[in-house]
């Protein structure tokens, strides 16, 4: 059973293969079955290297250097962490762009265990040059993001999750969903619905983004200015604080306070459901509400 | 054409202009003859065609000790000779490890071992996907570089799909700490590569090996069509090639 975001990705990538002769899809067995039809149509542009993630990214870099627009795809820990030096050198250092599309965001594979979790993926991508990072919060956000990424040559990380908000939103930059006066709460991707539930009845602005990189610093300044409070709360579905430096940079001229919430650094060594893992990391609506209220009261 | 003897003297003169790479001295010259034969007799790339999609690609995977590479690039007119005088300098485009974005005719930046072969596989696939069946992709590695597991991902895959436009050139100066019992060629052969092992100082032997390597791709190029149009799998049309160029031991 393919999750809705992954399904959107497979359909969009398959369509792009038909439409754009520059697009190639590079796989390491994951999702290979779903691309069998596309591989039959485009045997030279659907490339499955087997369970070889260093080669997955190396091949992606080589394809990009011949002028193609490769899309490399597998689970986040294998795409970004296992093959990180290939991401750093075979793409970034060569000046070659590509689209990396991961599944298995943070603790999506909650019952599988730590081997399949990569909550540090966006923090790792942050160590590179100017990557665009998309964290869609709804399956319907995937297609426009992937199509936009296929239309240029810059590096893009598209982070798909089994967690999703109830409906899709515009999320280029920080898009206000709710207005208040006590703080600005920034929700990234699938954290929006938990944040909306957590802040129900609180006098805070809630802003959404599916594109945390480049971080919308101008937008944050405008929101802070409009809110009248320089209290900021970040709620991210990967490591807590990943965007803290972005907020600090955006508000360098404004005395401000920041509460940065997200996945904690400690391996909980627990299985269970996605909801269980949200609880291990303090990310259920109730826990978020308590954290935000405590921050506002402090 | 310049004679080999004159060329070697010329190259050593250019090499002597390069200073500051003492750390990697021995490996710098282990590649000199291989590089010269490739650029002088094999590669279809000239300073005027470094951006031509139809050019052959040469990837120095073993980015350590690139002095010989720089000397050959200067001798062949890809870079000004006076660039050789400031290796690793503040304003130099030539570092102890090459950066492909800074040097005309250099396809990749390298230095961290085990990256060139994967990139070369990707380039060969990318060229084929665009119907560019003439260009060949050569990747130069060291025998110790083969310690890096990433190479073996690329060797297994390229052999399995018969990526016949790819040639790996392994300069073997027996510098791998644990060696390669059974020989380096066997690592490639078992994965379906065409292999040859030659004297890495013998220019004619190297030329024969590289030419023979190119010919393993003949069936594909004779059709003049990419594999996708002929409906053939790459594995039906040829094999990737490995040329093991043995030179004197590093120590």
């Amino acid at each position: 059973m393919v999750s809705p975001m992954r399904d959107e990705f497979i359909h969009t990538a398959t369509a792009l293969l038909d439409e754009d002769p520059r697009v190639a899809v590079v796989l390491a067995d994951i999702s290979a079955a779903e691309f069998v039809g596309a591989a039959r149509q485009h045997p030279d542009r659907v490339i499955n290297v087997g369970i070889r993630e260093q080669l997955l990214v190396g091949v992606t870099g080589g394809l990009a250097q011949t002028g193609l627009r490769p899309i490399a795809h597998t689970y986040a820990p294998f795409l970004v962490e296992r093959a990180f030096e290939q991401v750093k050198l075979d793409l970034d250092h060569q000046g070659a762009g590509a689209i990396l599309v991961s599944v298995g965001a943070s603790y999506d594979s909650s019952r599988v265990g730590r081997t399949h979790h990569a909550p540090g993926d966006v923090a790792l991508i942050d160590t590179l040059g100017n990557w665009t990072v998309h964290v869609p919060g709804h399956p319907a956000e995937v297609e426009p993001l992937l199509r936009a990424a296929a239309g240029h040559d810059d590096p893009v990380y598209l982070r798909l999750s089994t967690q999703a908000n109830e409906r899709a939103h515009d999320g280029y930059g920080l898009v206000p969903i709710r207005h208040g006066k006590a703080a600005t709460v920034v929700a990234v991707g699938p954290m929006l619905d938990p944040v909306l539930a957590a802040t129900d009845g609180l006098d805070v602005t809630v802003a959404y983004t599916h594109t945390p990189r480049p971080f919308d610093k101008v937008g944050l300044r405008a929101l802070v200015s409009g809110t009248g409070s320089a209290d900021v709360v970040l709620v991210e579905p990967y490591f807590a604080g990943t965007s803290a430096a972005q907020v600090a940079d955006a508000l360098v001229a404004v005395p401000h306070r920041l509460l940065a919430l997200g996945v904690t650094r400690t391996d909980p060594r627990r299985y269970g459901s996605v909801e269980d893992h949200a609880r291990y990391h303090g990310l259920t609506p109730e826990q978020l509400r308590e954290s935000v209220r405590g921050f506002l009261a402090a | 054409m310049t004679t080999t003897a004159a060329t070697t003297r010329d190259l050593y003169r250019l090499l002597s202009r390069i200073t500051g790479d003492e750390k990697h001295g021995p490996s710098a010259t282990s590649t000199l003859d291989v590089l010269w034969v490739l650029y002088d007799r094999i590669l279809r790339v000239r300073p005027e065609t470094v951006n031509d999609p139809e050019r052959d690609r040469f990837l120095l995977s073993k980015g350590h000790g690139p002095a010989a590479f720089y000397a050959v690039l200067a001798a062949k007119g890809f870079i000004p000779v006076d660039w050789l005088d400031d290796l690793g300098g503040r304003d130099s485009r030539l570092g102890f490890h090459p950066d492909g974005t800074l040097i005309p005719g250099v396809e990749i930046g390298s230095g961290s071992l085990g990256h060139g072969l994967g990139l070369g596989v990707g380039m060969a696939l990318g060229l084929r996907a665009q119907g560019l069946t003439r260009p060949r992709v050569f990747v130069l590695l060291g025998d110790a570089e083969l310690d890096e597991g990433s190479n073996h991902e690329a060797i297994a895959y390229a052999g399995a799909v018969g990526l016949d436009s790819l040639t790996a050139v392994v300069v073997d100066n027996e510098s791998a700490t644990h060696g390669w019992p059974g020989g380096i060629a066997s690592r490639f052969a078992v994965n379906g590569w065409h292999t040859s092992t030659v004297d890495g100082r013998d220019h004619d032997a190297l030329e024969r090996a590289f030419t023979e390597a190119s010919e393993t791709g003949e069936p594909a190029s004779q059709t003049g069509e990419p594999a996708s149009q002929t409906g053939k799998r790459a594995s039906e049309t040829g094999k990737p090639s490995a040329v093991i160029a043995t030179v004197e031991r590093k120590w």
Side-chain angles (χ1 to χ4, degrees), chain A:
Chain A
M1 166 76 186
V2 173
S3 67
M5 280 196 200
R6 189 165 164 184
D7 196 47
E8 281 292 322
F9 158 64
I10 290 159
H11 278 97
T12 306
T14 300
L16 285 168
L17 284 162
D18 292 338
E19 297 164 19
D20 184 349
R22 292 179 65 242
V23 168
V25 170
V26 193
L27 305 168
D29 276 359
I30 298 298
S31 300
E34 286 75 21
F35 279 103
V36 162
R40 206 170 291 130
Q41 291 295 312
H42 310 288
D44 287 342
R45 288 188 291 125
V46 179
I47 295 155
N48 179 12
V49 300
I51 307 169
R52 300 184 172 97
E53 287 83 11
Q54 296 184 78
L55 185 63
L56 171 81
V57 181
V59 160
T60 298
L63 291 169
Q65 285 194 277
T66 66
L68 294 182
R69 182 58 166 162
I71 301 169
H73 164 69
T74 186
Y75 271 82
F78 314 130
L79 184 62
V80 178
E81 293 178 327
R82 187 180 190 118
F84 185 70
E85 200 191 54
Q86 277 72 22
V87 176
K88 173 189 161 196
L89 296 181
D90 299 354
L91 294 172
D92 221 48
H93 181 54
Q94 307 304 337
I99 307 169
L100 304 184
V101 180
S102 71
V103 290
S106 289
Y107 45 76
D108 277 4
S109 304
S110 61
R111 298 178 195 282
V112 176
R114 174 67 179 161
T115 59
H116 283 54
H117 301 175
D121 54 351
V122 177
L124 267 172
I125 294 288
D126 265 351
T127 66
L128 305 173
N130 295 313
W131 281 62
T132 294
V133 177
H134 295 307
V135 183
H138 188 278
E141 295 167 18
V142 173
E143 176 170 358
L145 291 174
L146 184 58
R147 284 187 171 278
H152 59 81
D153 282 327
D154 294 331
V156 174
Y157 179 48
L158 175 58
R159 184 186 204 263
L160 307 182
S161 182
T162 55
Q163 300 165 63
N165 303 313
E166 201 171 301
R167 60 188 194 85
H169 296 269
D170 172 26
Y172 286 103
L174 298 185
V175 180
I177 304 288
R178 186 186 282 169
H179 289 279
K181 290 291 174 197
T184 299
V185 184
V186 174
V188 177
M191 296 314 297
L192 178 62
D193 278 3
V195 163
L196 288 173
T199 57
D200 188 35
L202 299 183
D203 184 23
V204 298
T205 291
V206 174
Y208 172 70
T209 187
H210 55 44
T211 301
R213 299 290 180 278
F215 192 83
D216 181 11
K217 292 174 184 171
V218 172
L220 182 63
R221 280 193 289 273
L223 288 169
V224 163
S225 157
T227 303
S229 157
D231 284 357
V232 177
V233 181
L234 273 175
V235 186
E236 302 184 90
Y238 33 80
F239 271 161
T242 300
S243 295
Q246 306 284 335
V247 173
D249 195 36
L251 301 180
V252 68
V254 184
H256 64 279
R257 296 196 307 147
L258 171 65
L259 172 67
L261 302 173
V263 179
T264 60
R265 249 73 171 178
T266 310
D267 174 1
R269 296 191 182 279
R270 305 276 297 273
Y271 300 102
S273 66
V274 165
E275 292 70 27
D276 290 328
H277 280 256
R279 197 175 69 254
Y280 305 152
H281 297 288
L283 296 176
T284 67
E286 299 72 28
Q287 291 169 311
L288 289 170
R289 185 176 181 85
E290 196 172 325
S291 296
V292 171
R293 289 179 62 152
F295 174 67
L296 295 178

Side-chain angles (χ1 to χ4, degrees), chain B residues 196-202 205-210 243-247:
Chain B
S196 55
T197 301
V198 297
D199 178 350
R201 298 301 187 191
D202 182 334
L206 285 166
E207 181 184 9
R208 277 195 302 277
F210 293 143
V243 175
I244 317 304
T246 58
V247 296

